[in-house]
Amino acid sequence: MRISFVGVCIAPTQNSLGYVMNQDKKGGKVVRLLDTTLRDGEQMPGVSLAPQQKLEIALALAELGVDSIEAGFPITSRGEFEAVRAIAREIRGVEVIALARAHKADIDKIIEAEVPAIHTFIATSDLHMKYKLRLSPEQVIEKAVWAIEYAKSHGLVVEFSAEDATRSDLQFLAKVFQAVVDAGADRIDIADTVGIAHPSLISFLVSYIKSAVKGGYILSVHCHNDFGMAVANSVTAIESGADQAHVTVLGVGERAGNAALEEVASALAFLYGYKVKIDFSKINRVAKLVARHFGLQIPPNKAIVGVNAFSHESGIHVHGVLSHPLTYEPIDPTIVGAERKIVIGKHSGKHAVEYVIKQLGYEPKEEIVLDVLNKVKELADQGIKVTWDMLIKLVKEEYNG
Ligand code: MN
């Protein structure tokens, strides 16, 4: 049997979890993840981190195994400069990078902070060039090339982003990228600054830039979530030949945020079969740390790191999961440092109650199981949320009279 994936005919294969995977995309390609939780993420409205908090998150990201940590935008403030400098000093074995406009003052701050890599950018869409930059397309290329040459002359690794790339003239975008690659840029990045791309558009753009721009560069994407497409766009870009995606923990970032690290990394590794250097067992812990420092509640239904991502209540699902967890779970929760939770409520069945009774050290008797289940359902029908403590009390009353 042969299955067609987006026009490519390949033999389907199934991984150990039973998923059908697109075999020809495997072969051990390692995808780079540039984490920008501490830069784009911190630009989330209403969020401001102290240097110590930024350092703590950077250390956790290094342990998690991202390839680059974008530490901040040093020209912004004294504290930001200090935080970026501290991160560049403390982090070993993972690239630390910082943001700069194509301005001398911005780049000088990065050199002064002793950051080894720079992420410099300039807008390439007509809209931004005309109304924001007030520069001609030729002046934009000139400034970009100057910034690359200046940063390279100071020995920095250089990543260049074309801001608003997804709304830029295609030929002009390729021309800018070619000019910066010729000037020595190590990586070029297609920024979907206002999140208007969708998978087929990003796929086309990645293929177009890869064929139009010559040279040895790493191609990256930076996707925003204005239409809820950031993760889909990021993984599609990788599937179309990009080498790197910009991500943030929990998808924090400007407006509706960026592509979520935990989702992009998990999809790439578990669904597509790419290699990422992430230690997945730490991903839930890092998400909790970021939520705490950003002052956020992780939505319960958030993929991979939400409290409900591996929770089960409905009788049919609990019965399945207790017989074999993969019946209603895509992966073992321990892979991503999470726990399976059996929640008792209106939708519960007797298998869930039996499970709870056994966990409390009692022998589950049929009539007691049904009695507890009926009481739980009566409470739930009155709109009362049955907590773990209430449940323990119910079970103990049954056994102790
Ligand atoms: Mn952004």
Side-chain angles (χ1 to χ4, degrees):
M1 189 179 87
R2 295 180 80 76
I3 291 180
S4 173
F5 285 90
V6 208
V8 185
C9 214
I10 54 117
T13 56
Q14 286 179 287
N15 70 4
S16 57
L17 295 167
Y19 310 156
V20 175
M21 300 183 90
N22 190 347
Q23 180 68 34
D24 73 344
K25 292 290 189 284
K26 294 204 293 179
K29 174 164 176 170
V30 183
V31 177
R32 284 191 109 252
L33 293 174
L34 181 149
D35 181 279
T36 182
T37 304
L38 296 173
R39 201 277 299 167
D40 208 325
E42 204 198 346
Q43 285 170 225
M44 182 171 175
V47 171
S48 180
L49 301 172
Q52 191 52 39
Q53 292 175 310
K54 292 191 72 142
L55 181 58
E56 197 187 334
I57 292 172
L59 290 165
L61 288 168
E63 259 188 58
L64 181 65
V66 300
D67 295 275
S68 294
I69 297 172
E70 187 165 43
F73 195 1
I75 195 87
T76 313
S77 72
R78 189 76 212 161
E80 180 76 351
F81 172 83
E82 294 298 344
V84 171
R85 186 165 64 173
I87 291 167
R89 278 184 186 162
E90 292 283 328
I91 301 291
R92 290 284 163 270
V94 177
E95 179 189 273
V96 175
I97 190 164
L99 190 70
R101 288 168 297 182
H103 294 174
K104 186 171 185 296
D106 287 31
I107 301 171
D108 284 342
K109 277 284 172 206
I110 286 174
I111 296 163
E112 193 189 335
E114 296 178 67
V115 182
I118 184 173
H119 175 203
T120 189
F121 70 99
I122 197 161
T124 51
S125 65
D126 289 347
L127 188 69
H128 276 241
M129 289 191 290
K130 186 173 172 197
Y131 292 102
K132 185 185 79 172
L133 298 174
R134 298 179 193 281
L135 294 173
S136 69
E138 292 68 35
Q139 288 172 310
V140 163
I141 292 185
E142 227 172 82
K143 275 183 81 92
V145 166
W146 175 86
I148 307 300
E149 286 173 347
Y150 184 63
K152 286 312 286 183
S153 74
H154 285 86
L156 299 173
V157 170
V158 177
E159 176 157 337
F160 170 80
S161 277
E163 189 184 19
D164 208 19
T166 47
R167 293 191 298 184
S168 300
D169 175 84
L170 265 182
Q171 271 90 36
F172 180 63
L173 182 64
K175 197 173 161 191
V176 174
F177 278 146
Q178 189 64 66
V180 298
V181 168
D182 292 345
D186 302 282
R187 306 198 291 259
I188 55 175
D189 176 59
I190 299 170
D192 184 25
T193 302
V194 292
I196 51 86
H198 51 79
S200 52
L201 171 65
I202 206 87
S203 176
F204 168 75
L205 259 179
V206 166
S207 307
Y208 174 80
I209 293 301
K210 266 185 81 114
S211 69
V213 181
K214 310 294 175 208
Y217 56 87
I218 284 171
L219 181 59
S220 177
V221 289
H222 176 101
C223 299
H224 274 277
N225 206 34
D226 297 73
F227 287 88
M229 293 284 194
V231 171
N233 286 338
S234 302
V235 297
T236 303
I238 298 299
E239 199 182 20
S240 306
D243 313 289
Q244 174 182 280
H246 287 193
V247 291
T248 62
V249 177
L250 295 169
V252 290
E254 298 261 19
R255 302 182 314 282
N258 292 63
L261 182 158
E262 63 280 4
E263 295 175 10
V264 171
S266 298
L268 288 174
F270 306 134
L271 305 184
Y272 288 78
Y274 289 107
K275 286 199 169 71
V276 289
K277 292 183 199 145
I278 298 296
D279 177 351
F280 282 97
S281 69
K282 297 195 166 82
I283 215 158
N284 262 271
R285 204 166 52 77
V286 174
K288 286 194 182 89
L289 175 73
V290 168
R292 183 153 53 83
H293 285 332
F294 277 64
L296 302 171
Q297 292 277 349
I298 300 176
N301 59 337
K302 191 94 173 82
I304 311 294
V305 296
V307 71
N308 285 353
F310 299 97
S311 293
H312 310 278
E313 180 181 317
S314 97
I316 295 166
H317 287 218
V318 170
H319 182 204
V321 162
L322 294 178
S323 308
H324 193 305
L326 287 180
T327 52
Y328 287 102
E329 286 174 355
I331 52 171
D332 183 334
T334 59
I335 294 173
V336 289
E339 283 177 2
R340 177 174 307 119
K341 290 188 186 71
I342 303 297
V343 177
I344 303 292
K346 179 171 144 182
H347 310 99
S348 294
K350 62 180 186 179
H351 292 283
V353 175
E354 253 172 41
Y355 171 79
V356 170
I357 289 175
K358 268 191 209 158
Q359 276 201 323
L360 293 175
Y362 297 104
E363 183 57 38
K365 290 184 193 140
E366 173 91 19
E367 66 276 16
I368 292 186
V369 169
L370 291 175
D371 218 28
V372 171
L373 187 60
N374 285 335
K375 284 180 180 164
V376 164
K377 288 186 187 240
E378 273 168 30
L379 286 168
D381 279 339
Q382 294 165 46
I384 297 167
K385 189 179 178 302
V386 183
T387 64
W388 190 248
D389 288 343
M390 284 161 75
L391 189 68
I392 291 173
K393 198 164 161 257
L394 270 178
V395 171
K396 285 189 172 163
E397 276 170 12
E398 289 286 340
Y399 280 91
N400 305 328

